[in-house]
Amino acid sequence: MRTTLVLIFLLLPVLALAQDWEDRRVFGNPEAETQLRIISSTDTSLFAPVIERYLGDNTDLSVEYLVTGTSDIYTIFRENPEAFDVVISSAMDLQIKIANDGFARPLSNVSHPEWAQWRSSLFAFTSEPAAIVINRAAFAGQAIPGTRQELIEALRARPEMFRGRVGTYDVRQSGLGYLFATQDARASETYWRLMEVMGALDVRLYCCSGDMIDDLSDGTIAVAYNVLGSYATARVDSRETLQIILPSDFPTTMMRTAMVSRAAPHPERADAFVRHLIALQSSADGGVLPLPPIDAQVNDPDGATIVLEPALMTFLDALTRKKFLAEWEDAVIQK
Amino acid sequence: MGHSPSVSGSLRNRLVLSLIGGAAILAVLLFFVVRNYAAQVAQQGQDNILRASVTSILDAAAIREGEVEVDIPYAAFSMLGTASDDRIFHAIYQDARFLSGYPYLPMAAGRGRESTFATVSHQGEAVRVVTASRVLIADGKRTNVRVALAQTQDALSGQLEQISKNAALLGAGFFVLAILLSFWATSATIGQLKRLTDAVTRRGPQDLSPFQKPVPSEMLPLVTSLNSLMGRLDQSLGQSEDFIAEAAHRVRTPLATVRSYAEATLQRLDKEENRQDMRSMMRAIDESSRAAVQLLDHAMITFRSDHLERQDIDLAQLVDELVVRLTPIAEMKDLTLHYESDGPVPYSGDPILIQNAVRNLLDNALKYAPIEGTVTIAVSATPQVVINVCDSGKGFPDGELETLTSRFKRGANAEGTIGSGLGLTIAMDVASAHGGVLKLSNQPEGGACAQLLF
């Protein structure tokens, strides 16, 4: 509860616009009696094919797809769990906490790998690595960094080139950014050194991957760290200008998760939709869809993928979060 | 022979039932003990992990610039991961002030450094909660950081279910084994009794010697009593045998003496009146003598029947000898003894008894046959060993064929004939001692027939 209050307080500016969704689209027959409400952090364009396929078989249904940030989803959904049927988010830690606190409805007999679900109520359906995305123009004639260490060296080598032109998530605002940051910090000290270097270059902080990619495409920034590679790949228009680098020192891979609200207005429909989503993303032809499917090969022994476990809630503890944010601010915001 | 004693329950059933009952109680007990013990161990496992986790959280607590800082180690929650994805809850307090986590999480009672455990209800689920605290000192001020950590028990109850299943299997297996063992033990025990019974049954009619074979100590009193009973029986049988011989000797001899005196006196008497009296007296003496002989015969036969001693004999020869011996008596009464036999008739029986029986039948026939009548004796081996004695007298009175073989029972037509009424009884006893029967009938052309069928 306290955590919630702290989060609400932290996210107050965003919350004021809570009802102004980043995107809101109704799929299917708008006259349909039953309307499935999905709250999601995934861009509509990326998720639309999943919904359209589902509606193809369920013509008596319409789907209202609401897009907002991961932290917003956490607060909005917890306040009104009865207003939504399905919750989809990339912030695995917040999703786990929602499920842990009893807001998720368990589904029975879903054939899904053990590592890709939690309590039969939270289901992972994508496997998306965090990437370093660069604007090719800024690295013309230069070596392309393959690891965080090489990125640090590249940034240090040409500070005049990168000042004000590096970007990353504002972990105070973005749930996914916070997840990536905490997992990176767990994995290696290199993360803190990178943050210090980026902080010294007046790093630009973003709420979302989409905005970062926009700024990368038009050259506002030259390097973005911890961007969702899948978003960048999906931008057909910027394939020429952008290069996606999956850091080879230690990759961080996030799994997008879905759950049915315990207070869902249409639990059976929501149940069926989540099953459809899982089946679609697990099938061999998952590549047809813009979102990368979960892939057993990606979940290799490297430990690249963030494990879907209650330990994710560690950094959501108010004291631990406070301490982490203080360190992060020390590194990034150098005044 | 003896009547069967009344049955009151069965030793075997009682033994089997009490053994099975005991085994059932033990099996149930075993189930609960094993399950409780395993449940305790499983709970201890969860408690140990919770303790380790809460300790690592407390270790991460520090005071910086007057404020409590807790940097929860990732491992603290990670180690609480279970196969059933149990939910976890935590709460951190500084003294009485809530700092972070779940404010409504119930704490386990208890103070001090020791971790205390409790099973409480949180968010509608039973959770195991551990509470531990640590004192931090900064700028000479003491502050108490208290951490509660709770975990649901889905994995534990799954484990318990498995344990219960195994414990139940163990109990059932034990029970089945105990049933088999109890059947085995029971039949081994009852076997001893059965062996003794067989030993008693197998004994020959005269074998009254004590049992010598070793028996289990519990059966020793029974066998000792049995042996002493048989000893007394043997002794009293010997006594009665002696008594019979003694009585026969003591009664027969004086009677014979009295009769010879009476006969001598008769010779000397002239007066017809007195001679008549003396004859009556002699008749009475004859009757007494005969009765005594028959009584002794009967006693002897009863004794010998109880201890039947079979020998291989030829009935034709045996009867022939009797006929030869009785021919003079028959001739005195002007009777014809007609003996028929078709060769030897081998039979295994007591010759003395059979002789006695046939003699009694012949005596009867001679007694009841009219003057110049015929007594026919026939012995044949086929289709059945049979000795047939028929006379040409009046035959048995109608309606008395059934009762005539009773002891001391004489026929309605026996007035005026010397007899004790024991003859047919003796014949019948001998027949039944050999497993045969005595059949009485009247011939259609007149005369009585007695048949000894062996």
Side-chain angles (χ1 to χ4, degrees), chain B residues 78-134:
Chain B
S78 197
M79 70 173 83
L80 293 174
T82 63
S84 307
D85 295 333
D86 275 301
R87 297 162 68 182
I88 56 177
F89 308 99
H90 73 289
I92 303 174
Y93 289 85
Q94 178 185 8
D95 297 319
R97 194 163 65 91
F98 172 80
L99 290 184
S100 76
Y102 295 74
Y104 301 113
L105 182 66
M107 306 276 252
R111 312 181 63 82
R113 281 198 61 88
E114 280 298 297
S115 307
T116 50
F117 296 90
T119 304
V120 298
S121 173
H122 180 62
Q123 291 200 1
E125 266 200 84
V127 297
R128 187 73 173 171
V129 61
V130 58
T131 309
S133 60
R134 180 183 168 201

Side-chain angles (χ1 to χ4, degrees), chain A residues 9-10 21 24 132 168 170 186 202 208 250 255 288 318:
Chain A
F9 179 75
L10 281 167
W21 306 97
R24 177 184 175 278
I132 301 168
T168 190
D170 185 345
R186 268 187 68 216
D202 294 335
C208 341
F250 61 91
M255 294 190 289
V288 178

Side-chain angles (χ1 to χ4, degrees), chain A residues 1-3 97 100-102 114 117-119 183 186 309-315 317-320 322-323, chain B residues 67 69-74 77-78 83 85-90 98-103 123 125 154:
Chain A
M1 199 56 88
R2 188 65 165 242
T3 322
K97 187 151 169 67
N100 186 69
D101 293 356
E114 194 55 41
Q117 59 171 303
W118 196 69
R119 283 186 74 79
Q183 294 296 322
R186 268 187 68 216
E309 59 171 354
L312 288 173
M313 294 188 288
T314 307
F315 289 101
D317 172 75
L319 292 177
T320 309
K322 194 170 127 190
K323 186 160 186 292
Chain B
E67 273 198 67
E69 250 182 25
V70 181
D71 189 4
I72 300 175
Y74 206 71
F77 285 179
S78 197
D85 295 333
D86 275 301
R87 297 162 68 182
I88 56 177
F89 308 99
H90 73 289
F98 172 80
L99 290 184
S100 76
Y102 295 74
Q123 291 200 1
E125 266 200 84
D154 297 352

Side-chain angles (χ1 to χ4, degrees), chain B residues 346-366:
Chain B
Y347 181 69
S348 166
D350 186 333
I352 296 171
L353 289 183
I354 297 173
Q355 212 169 30
N356 219 304
V358 176
R359 225 215 24 240
N360 272 293
L361 291 179
L362 277 174
D363 274 352
N364 278 350
L366 293 175

Side-chain angles (χ1 to χ4, degrees), chain A residues 179-301:
Chain A
L179 175 67
F180 278 150
T182 51
Q183 294 296 322
D184 279 359
R186 268 187 68 216
S188 166
E189 274 297 310
T190 316
Y191 171 75
W192 291 117
R193 280 196 283 137
L194 179 60
M195 281 306 110
E196 277 161 15
V197 170
M198 289 174 87
L201 292 171
D202 294 335
V203 65
R204 284 168 178 259
L205 299 176
Y206 292 86
C207 74
C208 341
S209 276
D211 292 1
M212 264 189 275
I213 293 163
D214 285 345
D215 280 5
L216 272 171
S217 301
D218 63 19
T220 311
I221 55 173
V223 179
Y225 176 69
N226 270 354
V227 186
L228 276 178
S230 51
Y231 276 49
T233 318
R235 291 290 183 88
V236 188
D237 56 316
S238 43
R239 276 203 188 132
E240 294 303 308
T241 30
L242 304 183
Q243 182 164 358
I244 300 161
I245 303 158
L246 298 180
S248 58
D249 46 356
F250 61 91
T252 308
T253 302
M254 164 276 286
M255 294 190 289
R256 222 172 272 270
T257 55
M259 71 180 113
V260 176
S261 165
R262 183 175 281 281
H266 315 105
E268 288 85 19
R269 291 305 191 132
D271 184 318
F273 179 80
V274 170
R275 282 172 201 273
H276 158 82
L277 172 62
I278 292 167
L280 206 60
Q281 289 294 114
S282 308
S283 61
D285 67 341
V288 178
L289 297 169
L291 291 169
I294 64 155
D295 184 354
Q297 276 157 359
V298 172
N299 291 280
D300 54 3

